[in-house]
Amino acid sequence: MIQKPKGTLDILPDETPLWQMIEENVRDITSNYGFAEIKFPTFEDSALFKRGVGGTTDIVQKEMFTLGDRDGNELCLRPEGTACVVRSVIENGLFNEPMPLKLYYFTNFFRYEKPQAGRSREFYQFGVEMFGTSKASADATVISIADTLFKRLGVNARLNINSIGCPNCRPNYHKALVDYFSAHEEELCDTCRERLKTNPLRILDCKSPICGALCDNAPKTVEHLCPECEEHFDELKSSLTAMDIDFSINPRIVRGLDYYTRTVFEFISDDIGAQSTVCGGGRYDGLVKELDGPDLCGIGFGLGITRLVLALKKNAETKGTALPENKKPLIYIAPMGKEAATKAVGIVHKLRTAGVAAECDITGRSLKAQMKYADKIGAKYAAVIGDNELEQGVCELKNLRDGEKKNIAIDELSTIKD
């Protein structure tokens, strides 16, 4: 039997209403914030991520699904969204639009990772990107979109923030990190020994318990900020407070991508097991220029839909609440006889075009089997139609929940309310 590739998902019909509900809320919230949707290719030039995300990141070194075309070009399935959006902004001249430019996406991505709960090789994200403003209030605005979504959906997610400085103050911080971790080099994992040479900031993101214990006593980013970055971070905290958004400062947050600068943040949920980060993002002021665009600052986040679904399912289980379901038919047309079966197709079509969820028999079931089927699919009413009923233009309408029966004109079926 052929099975789906390892680390991919089948989102089955019983689950899709929950996904649709999330997407509907995403579209409503982003619309209120003035964000417009952007779509981009499933695969991109690999150089986009090598330059944009960073050659020393796990994404580029270990996780990209690469492929070559017949012209010898190296392409890859998109592993993240920000670089894709930036490429599109540059290529299509969106930087000429009025600023700030506000975009969002809701799509799938691909990374070669070890599959586990909340982490798969094909995964779905909702992301937002805002360009053209360096103000900390823009950072708070972007953060508030995720916060609004979590609160609306009833997901308990804690906000952690940090500042990793800018190109002016980060060299001094990097030196402090190198000095500290060099004294403990033998205790670091193999990956972090390499990071010590290439990107010491990434050590703070290591999940190894031993490296994590060392990081607890490592120099803090917020203790090495230049005056401008310190002022920006203070303004961010003030803006979040003005929005009534609770937060904690977590000096361990650095995010895993090289393009971040100043603000970085994560939303943490305890409802999804070990993979507790359900949303993460930050500011990337140099990325557009790095990819040959204008010197345009940016801020954004990626929010994991698969992890959000896990959190919502856990909440529903804990609170005993119902999850969204597929729409049930209001009326099931149950024909008796060949002529009635033919007419039933036309009747159900008229009901559907009138906005009524309706079904009818198209398999040749007996009346008894039809009634069982109507009950099984959750129909509220069953309308039995035979030759006599067709002649008189009436049908027997049965309420499948309380068993009550009554005669009703066939033309009046579209007036029935749930």
Side-chain angles (χ1 to χ4, degrees), residues 40-42 78-80 105-110 122-125:
F40 37 80
T42 303
R78 56 193 182 204
E80 63 100 43
Y105 55 84
F106 193 106
T107 192
N108 57 337
F109 297 95
F110 309 86
E122 181 185 22
F123 58 98
Y124 293 78
Q125 279 191 347

Side-chain angles (χ1 to χ4, degrees), residues 254-299:
V254 294
R255 304 298 298 154
L257 310 178
D258 286 354
Y259 52 60
Y260 284 118
T261 180
R262 288 191 172 172
T263 301
V264 287
F265 62 91
E266 293 180 348
F267 280 90
I268 310 297
S269 173
D270 295 328
D271 294 332
I272 53 176
Q275 301 300 328
S276 58
T277 301
V278 70
C279 174
R283 179 164 283 280
Y284 47 88
D285 290 346
L287 181 57
V288 180
K289 188 175 182 180
E290 172 67 25
L291 294 175
D292 301 323
D295 192 5
L296 189 67
C297 50
I299 170 80

